[in-house]
Amino acid sequence: MEIDGIISAIIIGIVIGVLGRLVVPGRQRIGILLTILVGIVAALVGSAIAAGIGVADTDGVDWVEWLIQIGLAALGVVALDRAKARR
């Protein structure tokens, strides 16, 4: 992965993480750095899943890929929030 790919993954990860956090109702007990990390992971995994099912590259906006990534980010935020609540 080149430097521009890393920078774009971080930027997309921030957006995906924030959107995933907004989807989850209530207050979350995780910080912004964990939200960004969850977003980056969700963006990468979501892109791989979208490529696997053949919806990653379309003519317009890749709405299905975005929905997969946001859904994964929301799951990650919920999982980390619950793990942090148990401590």
Side-chain angles (χ1 to χ4, degrees), residues 8-60:
S8 65
I10 291 170
I11 293 170
I12 292 170
I14 291 169
V15 172
I16 294 294
V18 169
L19 290 174
R21 191 172 180 145
L22 289 174
V23 170
V24 178
R27 185 175 187 278
Q28 295 84 36
R29 292 173 289 270
I30 64 171
I32 191 69
L33 289 178
L34 279 176
T35 301
I36 291 170
L37 288 175
V38 166
I40 292 170
V41 170
L44 294 173
V45 172
S47 293
I49 291 171
I53 61 175
V55 295
D57 293 319
T58 59
D59 291 334

